[in-house]
Amino acid sequence: MGNSQGMDYSDNQVTLYTSQSQVVVDQLRQSGRHVVDAAFIKEKYGETAHVFLQAYSWYRQHASKIVERPRDADSAIWTFLNAKYLDYSADSRLIKLRVPIEKIVFFRMSDWNRILNLRLLGTEEEQVKYSDKLKRYNVDYEGDVYTTAFYPHLKTELVCSWQKLFQYDDEIKATKQLPFEDIQGGIWEIQHSWVESLLEWKI
């Protein structure tokens, strides 16, 4: 496990950072709240959206068991405890939030990236063993296990491994310590009252 470090926590709230468009900032000011619509994901990822939507759908189903999902929230909003992990774009605004800890689902960014790419989530040894199985079945692209119906047993193993995404959530909420630097937080909404400030990008 990585070097444990404290997070910015006080009064049951955690400091998080998120990158959002000016449209989202305006919506927060006008309505006091922002949630993600599935149409946004389709627009963001274009032709590859169907692959990402499958991963997002899995996350929505399982993360909602940890933090209840509002009905109008089609997907999570990604936040980080360290602003350096945020993606910069010309239209984006860097938002600093103070969010109640019980509203956050904690996980590693590197783990989520494996799920986004429809890959096994496990130790290095588990990944090597799974890779060997794929070779025995002549599977060249790991994502085919999930997107086709040809490998049901391999798909079961793959999807079961994704549950490890949430393995640090309870520990972080109990200890207020981050076991790895690349911890991010999924939240279902941004409430205007959670916005502490709009920051300038340092690039």
Side-chain angles (χ1 to χ4, degrees):
M1 191 168 288
N3 295 323
S4 180
Q5 56 184 312
M7 59 184 175
D8 188 350
Y9 170 86
S10 63
D11 299 325
N12 199 51
Q13 295 179 320
V14 180
T15 296
L16 299 174
Y17 300 90
T18 186
S19 175
Q20 301 294 331
S21 68
Q22 184 62 47
V23 172
V24 171
V25 173
D26 293 340
Q27 182 186 50
L28 279 167
R29 286 170 173 160
Q30 292 166 11
S31 69
R33 183 171 174 268
H34 167 67
V35 294
V36 175
D37 188 291
F40 167 79
I41 301 172
K42 295 176 183 177
E43 180 181 340
K44 179 179 179 180
Y45 292 110
E47 294 180 358
T48 60
H50 67 285
V51 176
F52 289 102
L53 283 171
Q54 292 182 79
Y56 277 67
S57 176
W58 178 89
Y59 178 91
R60 182 177 65 183
Q61 177 186 352
H62 293 278
S64 61
K65 298 174 184 176
I66 300 173
V67 175
E68 185 176 359
R69 178 179 64 88
R71 284 189 177 183
D72 57 348
D74 288 338
S75 182
I77 298 163
W78 307 132
T79 70
F80 292 87
L81 291 99
N82 190 324
K84 76 177 186 179
Y85 290 107
L86 292 171
D87 291 329
Y88 168 81
S89 66
D91 182 43
S92 64
R93 301 297 304 274
L94 174 55
I95 306 174
K96 183 179 182 181
L97 304 170
R98 292 287 293 171
V99 181
I101 193 169
E102 69 271 10
K103 296 290 186 180
I104 309 166
V105 179
F106 293 101
F107 53 91
R108 292 192 74 184
M109 178 178 68
S110 52
D111 288 347
W112 171 240
N113 285 340
R114 290 193 69 84
I115 294 175
L116 269 183
N117 288 288
L118 307 180
R119 303 184 67 188
L120 186 88
L121 182 54
T123 64
E124 188 173 334
E125 181 182 357
E126 289 169 338
Q127 291 172 27
V128 169
K129 287 182 178 179
Y130 190 70
S131 180
D132 289 341
K133 289 181 184 179
L134 297 182
K135 290 176 183 176
R136 290 202 297 272
Y137 285 92
N138 296 314
V139 179
D140 294 322
Y141 170 56
E142 193 168 340
D144 286 344
V145 170
Y146 190 87
T147 58
T148 70
F150 302 135
Y151 316 99
H153 55 298
L154 292 175
K155 181 176 181 178
T156 297
E157 184 176 351
L158 174 69
V159 175
C160 284
S161 79
W162 292 352
Q163 288 293 339
K164 294 185 179 75
L165 180 70
F166 307 116
Q167 63 185 313
Y168 308 113
D169 184 74
D170 285 342
E171 175 192 347
I172 291 171
K173 287 173 178 170
T175 66
K176 315 303 185 293
Q177 296 288 312
L178 305 178
F180 296 94
E181 189 181 54
D182 68 334
I183 295 294
Q184 68 180 93
I187 56 177
W188 295 118
E189 62 183 344
I190 299 176
Q191 296 183 17
H192 188 268
S193 61
W194 296 350
V195 177
E196 185 168 275
S197 58
L198 297 177
L199 304 174
E200 295 297 323
W201 286 102
K202 295 180 180 179
I203 56 175

